[in-house]
């Protein structure tokens, strides 16, 4: 009898298909890989040195510097000895809590307008992006040091705050400092007085919101209109959820951009201490400031990320 020479078939291993999310993640990491490499090569060592300096007294020597370990003395001095750091820190955190919502609302509103079809749309978009150019690089020094631009800003501020109509409305609406509605109106009038700074800080956010709005398929609005959905309902059911992920990005960008502004009191204070060669003390203040920024970003990201809608 012929022997059955057939062999049992070996199990075929199926190759796992890479999901779209995995491919997008790989593409994202490849896109930011130059920044990651640059951060590792050029930022890790200075950050480590700065952190170590914050626990030491730094003495400048002819050939370099020497470190004398003092523990958390520099951090204690920042909170208990220095009379300016804590008030400046509280002031800047308060400002960012006020300016961030106003900047996001303003930029989102302008992006909605610029997303409409009208003549000269490209020129209007370029005009709203000009503040980004004016507030970057060498031009930022021109803006803050130019007497003509400063005079124009003062005139705009005076004409906007000295208006009789505004003063009358403020006197009528802001009746009591303890009333919640009065505080709300006080916040609104404060935002109106800062409209110049808000417009200057909204260029990038407008572009981000505009790019998110242009990714929404028109078929969604057409289907909603056929179903009898109003424009107001379309905004809250389609537009706002579809750009919610960009809201998180803009919040993170706005917070970081505000904390790094050249007219920031805390940044100026740290720079002054560096100029006085107080490297240990300035490093301690810088790390406290950095920790505050990280905590604020973590809280904001945790709150917003739970309401972000991702469309696939």
């Amino acid at each position: 009898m012929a022997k059955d020479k057939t062999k049992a078939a070996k199990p075929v291993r199926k190759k796992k298909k890479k999901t779209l999310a995995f491919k997008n993640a790989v593409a994202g990491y490849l896109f930011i890989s130059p920044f990651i490499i640059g951060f590792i090569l050029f930022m890790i060592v200075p950050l480590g040195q700065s952190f170590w300096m914050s626990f030491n007294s730094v003495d400048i020597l002819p050939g370099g510097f020497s470190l004398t370990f003092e523990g958390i003395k520099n951090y204690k001095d920042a909170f208990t000895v220095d009379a300016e750091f804590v008030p400046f820190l509280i002031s800047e955190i308060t400002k960012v809590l006020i300016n961030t919502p106003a900047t996001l609302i303003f930029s989102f509103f302008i992006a909605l307008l610029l997303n409409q079809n009208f003549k000269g749309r490209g020129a209007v978009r370029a005009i709203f992006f000009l503040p980004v150019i004016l507030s970057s690089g060498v031009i930022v020094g021109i803006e803050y040091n130019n007497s003509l631009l400063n005079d124009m800003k003062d005139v705009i501020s005076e004409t906007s705050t000295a208006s009789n109509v505004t003063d009358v409305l403020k006197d009528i609406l802001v009746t009591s400092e303890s009333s919640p509605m009065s505080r709300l109106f006080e916040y609104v009038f404060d935002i109106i007085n800062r409209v110049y700074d808000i417009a200057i800080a909204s260029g990038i956010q407008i572009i981000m919101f505009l790019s998110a709005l242009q990714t929404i398929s028109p078929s969604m609005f057409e289907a909603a209109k056929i179903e009898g959905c109003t424009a107001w309902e379309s905004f809250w059911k389609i537009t706002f959820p579809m750009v919610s992920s960009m809201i998180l990005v803009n919040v993170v960008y706005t917070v970081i951009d505000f904390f790094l502004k050249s007219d920031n009191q805390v940044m100026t204070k740290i720079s002054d201490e560096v100029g006085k060669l107080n490297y240990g003390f300035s490093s301690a203040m810088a790390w406290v400031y950095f920790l505050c920024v990280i905590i604020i970003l973590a809280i904001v990201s945790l709150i917003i990320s739970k309401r972000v809608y991702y469309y696939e």
Side-chain angles (χ1 to χ4, degrees):
M1 294 178 63
K3 294 182 179 180
D4 188 6
K5 296 183 179 180
T6 58
K7 296 181 179 179
K10 294 182 179 179
V12 180
R13 293 182 180 178
K14 294 182 179 180
K15 295 183 179 179
K16 294 182 180 180
K17 293 183 179 180
K18 296 180 180 179
T19 62
L20 180 60
F22 177 79
K23 292 180 180 179
N24 290 337
V26 172
Y29 282 115
L30 289 176
F31 182 78
I32 65 173
S33 59
F35 170 79
I36 296 176
I37 296 173
F39 179 82
I40 294 173
L41 293 178
F42 302 106
M43 296 296 295
I44 290 294
V45 174
L47 281 175
Q49 290 179 343
S50 173
F51 184 71
W52 179 242
M53 282 183 178
S54 66
F55 295 98
N56 290 267
S57 174
V58 183
D59 298 321
I60 306 300
L61 302 177
F65 57 87
S66 64
L67 302 177
T68 304
F69 184 76
E70 293 185 346
I72 59 173
K73 179 180 179 300
N74 290 325
Y75 292 93
K76 287 183 178 179
D77 291 344
F79 285 99
T80 60
V81 177
D82 191 272
E84 295 181 341
F85 178 68
V86 174
F88 285 169
L89 185 62
I90 296 174
S91 175
E92 294 303 328
I93 292 176
T94 304
K95 287 179 182 179
V96 77
L97 294 178
I98 294 175
N99 286 353
T100 299
T103 302
L104 292 176
I105 294 172
F106 176 82
S107 58
F108 190 34
F109 176 74
I110 297 299
L112 288 172
L113 295 180
L114 296 180
N115 195 44
Q116 306 299 318
N117 291 323
F118 58 89
K119 292 183 179 180
R121 183 175 63 175
V124 177
R125 289 179 178 179
I127 291 172
F128 276 100
F129 192 70
L130 281 177
V132 178
I133 302 175
L134 293 175
S135 60
S136 61
V138 178
I139 301 181
V140 67
I142 299 176
E143 181 190 4
Y144 284 104
N145 297 325
N146 190 300
S147 59
L148 177 60
L149 290 177
N150 290 330
D151 292 340
M152 290 175 62
K153 180 180 177 181
D154 294 337
V155 170
I156 295 172
S157 177
E158 290 176 3
T159 54
S160 62
T161 57
S163 173
N164 293 330
V165 178
T166 304
D167 293 338
V168 171
L169 287 175
K170 188 173 182 179
D171 293 337
I172 294 174
L173 297 175
V174 183
T175 57
S176 175
E177 295 182 358
S178 60
S179 174
M181 291 303 297
S182 296
R183 291 181 180 178
L184 177 62
F185 287 125
E186 188 75 30
Y187 172 77
V188 173
F189 283 113
D190 188 29
I191 294 301
I192 294 174
N193 295 337
R194 299 187 184 194
V195 65
Y196 176 84
D197 296 329
I198 293 173
I200 287 292
S202 300
I204 296 295
Q205 292 87 331
I206 292 173
I207 298 299
M208 290 183 178
F209 277 130
L210 190 59
S211 64
L213 291 171
Q214 292 178 345
T215 60
I216 303 176
S217 176
S219 61
M220 291 186 176
F221 296 102
E222 294 174 1
K225 188 175 182 180
I226 293 173
E227 294 294 331
C229 188
T230 63
W232 181 253
E233 291 172 339
S234 296
F235 173 79
W236 289 108
K237 299 296 183 180
I238 299 176
T239 304
F240 191 78
M242 294 294 290
V243 301
S244 59
S245 60
M246 196 57 66
I247 293 176
L248 177 59
V249 175
N250 277 335
V251 167
V252 173
Y253 174 83
T254 304
V255 171
I256 295 176
D257 180 64
F258 181 84
F259 278 124
L260 295 180
K261 282 185 176 295
S262 58
D263 59 344
N264 189 298
Q265 292 178 316
V266 179
M267 295 289 291
T268 303
K269 173 68 177 177
I270 295 173
S271 299
D272 292 341
E273 294 298 329
V274 172
K276 297 176 183 178
L277 304 182
N278 295 329
Y279 294 121
F281 185 54
S282 61
S283 297
M285 289 192 296
W287 276 98
V288 171
Y289 189 51
F290 174 73
L291 183 61
C292 291
V293 175
I294 293 299
I295 292 174
I296 292 174
L297 288 177
I299 295 174
V300 171
S301 300
L302 182 63
I303 295 173
I304 298 179
S305 60
K306 293 182 178 180
R307 300 184 178 274
V308 171
Y309 172 77
Y310 294 100
Y311 174 76
E312 294 183 0

